[in-house]
C-alpha cells in the first residue's frame, strides 16, 4: 500500500526533510511540533488538478488577516477552499515569510551559506515525485513560524511561540496534495537554530 491509499497515516518527518501525501476530502491532517520552535513550510494543491493550488493572497483576503489559526480557511487561486484549520494549540501561523532558498540564504547571511540545504530544494525534491517543478512553487504557509509585523510595516523572523507537543489540525475540503518542508534553516531563529522532527498524522 502507498501513503495515499492508507486510510490512517502516522509519520515522523526527520529534521530538514521533505514529506508529501494526499489528504482526502473530510480527512484531518495534524502537524505536531515535537521539539518546539520548528517551522514547517507547507504547500497545498488540488490532488486532481495541481494548477489549482494554495493562494496566500486569496487566503489573506478571505479571512481579513495575515495570521492563521482555528477557523482559518486555506483558499486556492480559484478562491475555493482547500483545507480549514479546525484545531490549533500554537495560536498563530505565518502566511508571508516565504520559504528559504540557497539564493535567499546567500543574500541574507553570506555566500558561505550557499551550500546549505533549504526549503525550496525540499519542495522541488518532493514536488518532483508528483510531476511538479519550480513553476509550481508559490508563496507558502509556515506552520509554527513567528513572523511579526513591526509598527513600520517590516517583517521580523524571531524566536518561535511554539513548544514541544503543540499542534495544528487541518480538515481537507477536497482531495488535497500536501507538500511539506520540515525547515532546515539554521541562520535565523525560526527553528531555534536547531531543526527537529515533526509528526504528521492523518485521521
Amino acid at each position: 500500500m502507498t501513503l495515499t491509499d492508507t486510510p490512517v497515516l502516522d509519520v515522523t518527518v526527520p529534521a530538514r526533510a521533505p514529506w508529501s501525501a494526499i489528504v482526502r476530502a473530510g480527512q484531518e491532517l495534524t502537524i505536531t511540533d515535537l521539539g518546539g520552535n520548528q517551522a514547517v513550510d507547507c504547500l497545498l494543491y488540488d490532488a486532481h488538478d495541481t494548477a489549482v493550488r494554495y493562494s496566500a493572497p486569496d487566503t489573506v483576503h478571505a479571512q481579513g488577516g495575515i495570521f492563521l489559526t482555528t477557523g482559518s480557511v486555506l483558499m486556492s487561486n480559484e478562491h475555493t477552499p482547500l483545507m480549514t484549520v479546525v484545531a490549533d494549540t500554537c495560536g498563530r501561523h505565518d502566511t508571508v515569510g516565504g520559504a528559504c532558498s540557497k539564493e535567499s540564504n546567500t543574500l541574507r547571511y553570506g555566500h558561505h551559506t550557499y551550500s546549505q540545504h533549504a526549503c525550496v530544494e525540499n519542495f522541488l525534491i518532493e514536488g518532483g515525485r508528483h510531476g511538479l517543478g519550480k513553476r509550481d512553487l508559490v508563496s507558502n504557509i509556515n506552520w509554527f513560524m513567528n513572523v511579526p509585523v513591526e509598527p513600520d510595516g517590516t517583517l521580523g523572523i524571531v524566536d518561535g511561540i511554539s513548544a514541544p507537543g503543540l499542534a495544528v489540525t487541518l480538515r481537507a475540503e477536497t482531495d488535497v496534495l500536501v507538500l511539506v518542508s520540515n525547515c532546515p534553516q539554521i541562520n535565523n531563529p525560526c527553528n531555534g537554530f536547531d531543526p527537529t522532527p515533526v509528526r504528521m498524522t492523518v485521521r
Side-chain angles (χ1 to χ4, degrees):
M1 299 180 74
T2 67
L3 289 179
T4 54
D5 295 327
T6 306
V8 176
L9 289 177
D10 193 352
V11 178
T12 297
V13 181
R16 303 178 174 87
W19 177 86
S20 65
I22 293 176
V23 181
R24 301 295 179 185
Q27 291 183 331
E28 294 183 353
L29 167 65
T30 298
I31 306 171
T32 305
D33 187 0
L34 296 176
N37 282 10
Q38 176 59 40
V40 180
D41 292 42
C42 181
L43 290 170
L44 308 174
Y45 302 84
D46 185 309
H48 304 289
D49 180 5
T50 56
V52 179
R53 68 275 306 266
Y54 169 74
S55 167
D58 286 84
T59 299
V60 169
H61 176 264
Q63 67 177 358
I66 64 170
F67 298 120
L68 302 176
T69 189
T70 304
S72 297
V73 180
L74 311 179
M75 305 294 287
S76 78
N77 56 325
E78 299 287 339
H79 211 71
T80 55
L82 293 172
M83 304 187 91
T84 300
V85 181
V86 295
D88 177 22
T89 55
C90 179
R92 189 178 77 196
H93 307 267
D94 169 62
T95 60
V96 296
C100 61
S101 67
K102 291 184 176 184
E103 293 77 10
S104 66
N105 280 345
T106 298
L107 180 65
R108 292 172 176 168
Y109 310 114
H111 189 70
H112 67 283
T113 67
Y114 184 76
S115 62
Q116 295 175 2
H117 197 58
C119 284
V120 167
E121 284 69 44
N122 271 345
F123 282 144
L124 291 173
I125 290 167
E126 196 66 19
R129 298 180 55 231
H130 304 278
L132 302 173
K134 186 169 285 190
R135 290 185 178 184
D136 298 299
L137 300 188
V138 295
S139 296
N140 59 285
I141 301 161
N142 292 308
W143 301 114
F144 308 111
M145 188 168 162
N146 189 14
V147 183
V149 180
E150 306 298 344
D152 64 357
T154 59
L155 302 177
I157 298 177
V158 299
D159 194 31
I161 59 174
S162 187
L166 296 188
V168 59
T169 298
L170 319 169
R171 182 184 64 231
E173 305 301 346
T174 187
D175 293 348
V176 177
L177 169 62
V178 180
L179 239 61
V180 158
S181 170
N182 194 19
C183 183
Q185 182 61 256
I186 58 173
N187 300 291
N188 68 48
C190 72
N191 298 321
F193 301 102
D194 181 23
T196 53
V198 295
R199 184 180 181 185
M200 316 294 287
T201 309
V202 176
R203 294 183 175 88

PDB file of all heavy atoms in Angstrom, residues 3 12 16 40 63 66 68 72-73 81 95-96 98 101 111 120 131 138 144 157 172 174 183 191 193 198:
ATOM      1  N   LEU A   3       1.257   5.591   0.654  1.00  0.00           N
ATOM      2  CA  LEU A   3       0.765   6.540   1.632  1.00  0.00           C
ATOM      3  C   LEU A   3      -0.625   7.052   1.259  1.00  0.00           C
ATOM      4  O   LEU A   3      -1.478   7.257   2.109  1.00  0.00           O
ATOM      5  CB  LEU A   3       1.729   7.724   1.752  1.00  0.00           C
ATOM      6  CG  LEU A   3       3.081   7.446   2.429  1.00  0.00           C
ATOM      7  CD1 LEU A   3       3.912   8.709   2.434  1.00  0.00           C
ATOM      8  CD2 LEU A   3       2.895   6.940   3.843  1.00  0.00           C
ATOM      9  N   THR A  12       6.704  10.293  11.316  1.00  0.00           N
ATOM     10  CA  THR A  12       7.621  11.298  11.839  1.00  0.00           C
ATOM     11  C   THR A  12       8.541  11.739  10.712  1.00  0.00           C
ATOM     12  O   THR A  12       9.235  10.912  10.106  1.00  0.00           O
ATOM     13  CB  THR A  12       8.450  10.746  13.013  1.00  0.00           C
ATOM     14  OG1 THR A  12       7.557  10.407  14.081  1.00  0.00           O
ATOM     15  CG2 THR A  12       9.439  11.785  13.515  1.00  0.00           C
ATOM     16  N   ARG A  16      14.869  18.675   8.762  1.00  0.00           N
ATOM     17  CA  ARG A  16      15.385  19.119   7.455  1.00  0.00           C
ATOM     18  C   ARG A  16      14.786  18.380   6.267  1.00  0.00           C
ATOM     19  O   ARG A  16      15.125  18.685   5.129  1.00  0.00           O
ATOM     20  CB  ARG A  16      16.911  19.022   7.390  1.00  0.00           C
ATOM     21  CG  ARG A  16      17.644  19.801   8.453  1.00  0.00           C
ATOM     22  CD  ARG A  16      19.166  19.595   8.314  1.00  0.00           C
ATOM     23  NE  ARG A  16      19.895  20.456   9.240  1.00  0.00           N
ATOM     24  CZ  ARG A  16      20.188  20.132  10.483  1.00  0.00           C
ATOM     25  NH1 ARG A  16      19.805  18.943  10.963  1.00  0.00           N
ATOM     26  NH2 ARG A  16      20.855  20.963  11.262  1.00  0.00           N
ATOM     27  N   VAL A  40       7.422  24.638   9.818  1.00  0.00           N
ATOM     28  CA  VAL A  40       7.029  23.614   8.848  1.00  0.00           C
ATOM     29  C   VAL A  40       6.457  24.336   7.636  1.00  0.00           C
ATOM     30  O   VAL A  40       5.325  24.811   7.658  1.00  0.00           O
ATOM     31  CB  VAL A  40       5.998  22.640   9.446  1.00  0.00           C
ATOM     32  CG1 VAL A  40       5.612  21.580   8.416  1.00  0.00           C
ATOM     33  CG2 VAL A  40       6.542  21.990  10.712  1.00  0.00           C
ATOM     34  N   GLN A  63     -10.005  35.913   4.867  1.00  0.00           N
ATOM     35  CA  GLN A  63     -10.152  35.958   6.325  1.00  0.00           C
ATOM     36  C   GLN A  63      -9.843  37.325   6.917  1.00  0.00           C
ATOM     37  O   GLN A  63     -10.060  37.554   8.109  1.00  0.00           O
ATOM     38  CB  GLN A  63      -9.268  34.901   6.983  1.00  0.00           C
ATOM     39  CG  GLN A  63      -7.783  35.156   6.834  1.00  0.00           C
ATOM     40  CD  GLN A  63      -6.969  34.106   7.574  1.00  0.00           C
ATOM     41  OE1 GLN A  63      -7.507  33.227   8.226  1.00  0.00           O
ATOM     42  NE2 GLN A  63      -5.660  34.216   7.474  1.00  0.00           N
ATOM     43  N   ILE A  66      -3.412  38.243   8.203  1.00  0.00           N
ATOM     44  CA  ILE A  66      -2.273  37.509   7.645  1.00  0.00           C
ATOM     45  C   ILE A  66      -1.860  36.303   8.481  1.00  0.00           C
ATOM     46  O   ILE A  66      -1.035  35.500   8.028  1.00  0.00           O
ATOM     47  CB  ILE A  66      -1.046  38.425   7.443  1.00  0.00           C
ATOM     48  CG1 ILE A  66      -0.540  38.966   8.792  1.00  0.00           C
ATOM     49  CG2 ILE A  66      -1.366  39.551   6.484  1.00  0.00           C
ATOM     50  CD1 ILE A  66       0.798  39.683   8.677  1.00  0.00           C
ATOM     51  N   LEU A  68      -2.704  32.687  10.570  1.00  0.00           N
ATOM     52  CA  LEU A  68      -3.630  31.559  10.524  1.00  0.00           C
ATOM     53  C   LEU A  68      -3.814  30.976  11.917  1.00  0.00           C
ATOM     54  O   LEU A  68      -2.864  30.893  12.704  1.00  0.00           O
ATOM     55  CB  LEU A  68      -3.088  30.469   9.599  1.00  0.00           C
ATOM     56  CG  LEU A  68      -2.814  30.869   8.153  1.00  0.00           C
ATOM     57  CD1 LEU A  68      -2.190  29.704   7.397  1.00  0.00           C
ATOM     58  CD2 LEU A  68      -4.085  31.354   7.469  1.00  0.00           C
ATOM     59  N   SER A  72      -9.399  29.415  10.268  1.00  0.00           N
ATOM     60  CA  SER A  72      -8.851  29.928   9.006  1.00  0.00           C
ATOM     61  C   SER A  72      -9.103  28.932   7.881  1.00  0.00           C
ATOM     62  O   SER A  72      -8.904  27.723   8.048  1.00  0.00           O
ATOM     63  CB  SER A  72      -7.346  30.174   9.129  1.00  0.00           C
ATOM     64  OG  SER A  72      -7.063  31.163  10.091  1.00  0.00           O
ATOM     65  N   VAL A  73      -9.551  29.450   6.736  1.00  0.00           N
ATOM     66  CA  VAL A  73      -9.788  28.625   5.556  1.00  0.00           C
ATOM     67  C   VAL A  73      -8.661  28.894   4.561  1.00  0.00           C
ATOM     68  O   VAL A  73      -8.406  30.047   4.191  1.00  0.00           O
ATOM     69  CB  VAL A  73     -11.151  28.937   4.918  1.00  0.00           C
ATOM     70  CG1 VAL A  73     -11.373  28.058   3.691  1.00  0.00           C
ATOM     71  CG2 VAL A  73     -12.274  28.726   5.930  1.00  0.00           C
ATOM     72  N   PRO A  81     -12.079  26.665  -1.245  1.00  0.00           N
ATOM     73  CA  PRO A  81     -11.411  26.178  -0.034  1.00  0.00           C
ATOM     74  C   PRO A  81     -10.677  24.862  -0.274  1.00  0.00           C
ATOM     75  O   PRO A  81     -11.229  23.931  -0.875  1.00  0.00           O
ATOM     76  CB  PRO A  81     -12.564  26.000   0.954  1.00  0.00           C
ATOM     77  CG  PRO A  81     -13.772  25.784   0.106  1.00  0.00           C
ATOM     78  CD  PRO A  81     -13.553  26.583  -1.147  1.00  0.00           C
ATOM     79  N   THR A  95       1.840  33.474   7.032  1.00  0.00           N
ATOM     80  CA  THR A  95       1.500  33.355   5.609  1.00  0.00           C
ATOM     81  C   THR A  95       2.416  34.177   4.707  1.00  0.00           C
ATOM     82  O   THR A  95       2.285  34.111   3.484  1.00  0.00           O
ATOM     83  CB  THR A  95       0.058  33.838   5.346  1.00  0.00           C
ATOM     84  OG1 THR A  95      -0.045  35.218   5.749  1.00  0.00           O
ATOM     85  CG2 THR A  95      -0.953  33.013   6.119  1.00  0.00           C
ATOM     86  N   VAL A  96       3.325  34.965   5.261  1.00  0.00           N
ATOM     87  CA  VAL A  96       4.054  35.944   4.442  1.00  0.00           C
ATOM     88  C   VAL A  96       5.574  35.778   4.445  1.00  0.00           C
ATOM     89  O   VAL A  96       6.265  36.398   3.637  1.00  0.00           O
ATOM     90  CB  VAL A  96       3.708  37.397   4.867  1.00  0.00           C
ATOM     91  CG1 VAL A  96       2.242  37.694   4.602  1.00  0.00           C
ATOM     92  CG2 VAL A  96       4.058  37.648   6.326  1.00  0.00           C
ATOM     93  N   GLY A  98       7.517  33.299   3.563  1.00  0.00           N
ATOM     94  CA  GLY A  98       8.092  32.587   2.423  1.00  0.00           C
ATOM     95  C   GLY A  98       8.962  31.414   2.830  1.00  0.00           C
ATOM     96  O   GLY A  98       9.057  31.049   4.003  1.00  0.00           O
ATOM     97  N   SER A 101      15.735  29.604   0.642  1.00  0.00           N
ATOM     98  CA  SER A 101      16.371  29.007  -0.531  1.00  0.00           C
ATOM     99  C   SER A 101      17.866  29.261  -0.456  1.00  0.00           C
ATOM    100  O   SER A 101      18.338  30.074   0.353  1.00  0.00           O
ATOM    101  CB  SER A 101      15.810  29.619  -1.821  1.00  0.00           C
ATOM    102  OG  SER A 101      16.191  30.985  -1.923  1.00  0.00           O
ATOM    103  N   HIS A 111      27.660  34.385   1.394  1.00  0.00           N
ATOM    104  CA  HIS A 111      27.881  33.357   0.371  1.00  0.00           C
ATOM    105  C   HIS A 111      28.279  32.013   0.971  1.00  0.00           C
ATOM    106  O   HIS A 111      28.052  30.968   0.360  1.00  0.00           O
ATOM    107  CB  HIS A 111      28.951  33.816  -0.620  1.00  0.00           C
ATOM    108  CG  HIS A 111      29.074  32.925  -1.813  1.00  0.00           C
ATOM    109  ND1 HIS A 111      28.111  32.844  -2.796  1.00  0.00           N
ATOM    110  CD2 HIS A 111      30.035  32.021  -2.152  1.00  0.00           C
ATOM    111  CE1 HIS A 111      28.476  31.949  -3.708  1.00  0.00           C
ATOM    112  NE2 HIS A 111      29.635  31.438  -3.340  1.00  0.00           N
ATOM    113  N   VAL A 120      13.179  25.485  -0.456  1.00  0.00           N
ATOM    114  CA  VAL A 120      12.880  25.428  -1.892  1.00  0.00           C
ATOM    115  C   VAL A 120      13.389  24.120  -2.483  1.00  0.00           C
ATOM    116  O   VAL A 120      12.698  23.465  -3.281  1.00  0.00           O
ATOM    117  CB  VAL A 120      13.460  26.650  -2.624  1.00  0.00           C
ATOM    118  CG1 VAL A 120      13.426  26.440  -4.130  1.00  0.00           C
ATOM    119  CG2 VAL A 120      12.685  27.913  -2.255  1.00  0.00           C
ATOM    120  N   GLY A 131       5.157  15.285 -10.237  1.00  0.00           N
ATOM    121  CA  GLY A 131       5.163  15.977 -11.514  1.00  0.00           C
ATOM    122  C   GLY A 131       5.217  17.490 -11.399  1.00  0.00           C
ATOM    123  O   GLY A 131       4.933  18.200 -12.370  1.00  0.00           O
ATOM    124  N   VAL A 138       4.686  28.357  -5.124  1.00  0.00           N
ATOM    125  CA  VAL A 138       4.018  29.635  -4.842  1.00  0.00           C
ATOM    126  C   VAL A 138       4.327  30.016  -3.393  1.00  0.00           C
ATOM    127  O   VAL A 138       4.992  29.281  -2.665  1.00  0.00           O
ATOM    128  CB  VAL A 138       2.493  29.526  -5.063  1.00  0.00           C
ATOM    129  CG1 VAL A 138       2.186  29.271  -6.527  1.00  0.00           C
ATOM    130  CG2 VAL A 138       1.890  28.424  -4.185  1.00  0.00           C
ATOM    131  N   PHE A 144       3.808  27.197  12.623  1.00  0.00           N
ATOM    132  CA  PHE A 144       4.579  27.419  13.854  1.00  0.00           C
ATOM    133  C   PHE A 144       5.607  28.551  13.748  1.00  0.00           C
ATOM    134  O   PHE A 144       6.233  28.898  14.753  1.00  0.00           O
ATOM    135  CB  PHE A 144       5.299  26.137  14.322  1.00  0.00           C
ATOM    136  CG  PHE A 144       4.395  24.944  14.442  1.00  0.00           C
ATOM    137  CD1 PHE A 144       4.510  23.875  13.568  1.00  0.00           C
ATOM    138  CD2 PHE A 144       3.420  24.896  15.416  1.00  0.00           C
ATOM    139  CE1 PHE A 144       3.674  22.775  13.671  1.00  0.00           C
ATOM    140  CE2 PHE A 144       2.570  23.804  15.531  1.00  0.00           C
ATOM    141  CZ  PHE A 144       2.705  22.738  14.650  1.00  0.00           C
ATOM    142  N   ILE A 157      11.737  37.834  11.621  1.00  0.00           N
ATOM    143  CA  ILE A 157      11.765  36.385  11.819  1.00  0.00           C
ATOM    144  C   ILE A 157      12.401  36.186  13.180  1.00  0.00           C
ATOM    145  O   ILE A 157      13.597  36.392  13.351  1.00  0.00           O
ATOM    146  CB  ILE A 157      12.561  35.661  10.713  1.00  0.00           C
ATOM    147  CG1 ILE A 157      11.903  35.891   9.347  1.00  0.00           C
ATOM    148  CG2 ILE A 157      12.639  34.166  11.014  1.00  0.00           C
ATOM    149  CD1 ILE A 157      12.666  35.282   8.186  1.00  0.00           C
ATOM    150  N   ALA A 172      -9.395  18.559   5.243  1.00  0.00           N
ATOM    151  CA  ALA A 172      -9.400  18.694   3.791  1.00  0.00           C
ATOM    152  C   ALA A 172     -10.823  18.927   3.302  1.00  0.00           C
ATOM    153  O   ALA A 172     -11.730  18.159   3.621  1.00  0.00           O
ATOM    154  CB  ALA A 172      -8.806  17.461   3.138  1.00  0.00           C
ATOM    155  N   THR A 174     -11.414  19.193   0.016  1.00  0.00           N
ATOM    156  CA  THR A 174     -11.393  18.443  -1.230  1.00  0.00           C
ATOM    157  C   THR A 174     -10.175  17.548  -1.140  1.00  0.00           C
ATOM    158  O   THR A 174      -9.439  17.596  -0.148  1.00  0.00           O
ATOM    159  CB  THR A 174     -11.333  19.387  -2.444  1.00  0.00           C
ATOM    160  OG1 THR A 174     -11.469  18.630  -3.660  1.00  0.00           O
ATOM    161  CG2 THR A 174     -10.018  20.162  -2.478  1.00  0.00           C
ATOM    162  N   CYS A 183      11.577  22.607   7.846  1.00  0.00           N
ATOM    163  CA  CYS A 183      12.573  23.635   7.511  1.00  0.00           C
ATOM    164  C   CYS A 183      13.979  23.339   8.060  1.00  0.00           C
ATOM    165  O   CYS A 183      14.142  23.108   9.266  1.00  0.00           O
ATOM    166  CB  CYS A 183      12.087  24.983   8.016  1.00  0.00           C
ATOM    167  SG  CYS A 183      13.180  26.354   7.591  1.00  0.00           S
ATOM    168  N   ASN A 191      13.766  28.096  13.668  1.00  0.00           N
ATOM    169  CA  ASN A 191      13.833  26.728  14.190  1.00  0.00           C
ATOM    170  C   ASN A 191      14.615  26.671  15.496  1.00  0.00           C
ATOM    171  O   ASN A 191      15.110  25.599  15.873  1.00  0.00           O
ATOM    172  CB  ASN A 191      14.489  25.785  13.177  1.00  0.00           C
ATOM    173  CG  ASN A 191      13.725  25.686  11.881  1.00  0.00           C
ATOM    174  OD1 ASN A 191      12.501  25.668  11.879  1.00  0.00           O
ATOM    175  ND2 ASN A 191      14.428  25.646  10.770  1.00  0.00           N
ATOM    176  N   PHE A 193      17.476  27.647  15.828  1.00  0.00           N
ATOM    177  CA  PHE A 193      18.831  27.319  15.370  1.00  0.00           C
ATOM    178  C   PHE A 193      19.148  25.826  15.505  1.00  0.00           C
ATOM    179  O   PHE A 193      20.309  25.432  15.448  1.00  0.00           O
ATOM    180  CB  PHE A 193      19.887  28.150  16.129  1.00  0.00           C
ATOM    181  CG  PHE A 193      19.718  29.633  15.967  1.00  0.00           C
ATOM    182  CD1 PHE A 193      19.141  30.386  16.973  1.00  0.00           C
ATOM    183  CD2 PHE A 193      20.119  30.272  14.797  1.00  0.00           C
ATOM    184  CE1 PHE A 193      18.970  31.754  16.823  1.00  0.00           C
ATOM    185  CE2 PHE A 193      19.954  31.639  14.636  1.00  0.00           C
ATOM    186  CZ  PHE A 193      19.380  32.387  15.656  1.00  0.00           C
ATOM    187  N   VAL A 198       9.122  16.547  13.084  1.00  0.00           N
ATOM    188  CA  VAL A 198       7.713  16.824  13.322  1.00  0.00           C
ATOM    189  C   VAL A 198       6.901  15.571  12.980  1.00  0.00           C
ATOM    190  O   VAL A 198       7.382  14.670  12.291  1.00  0.00           O
ATOM    191  CB  VAL A 198       7.188  18.013  12.479  1.00  0.00           C
ATOM    192  CG1 VAL A 198       7.881  19.308  12.902  1.00  0.00           C
ATOM    193  CG2 VAL A 198       7.369  17.772  10.985  1.00  0.00           C
TER     194      VAL A 198
END
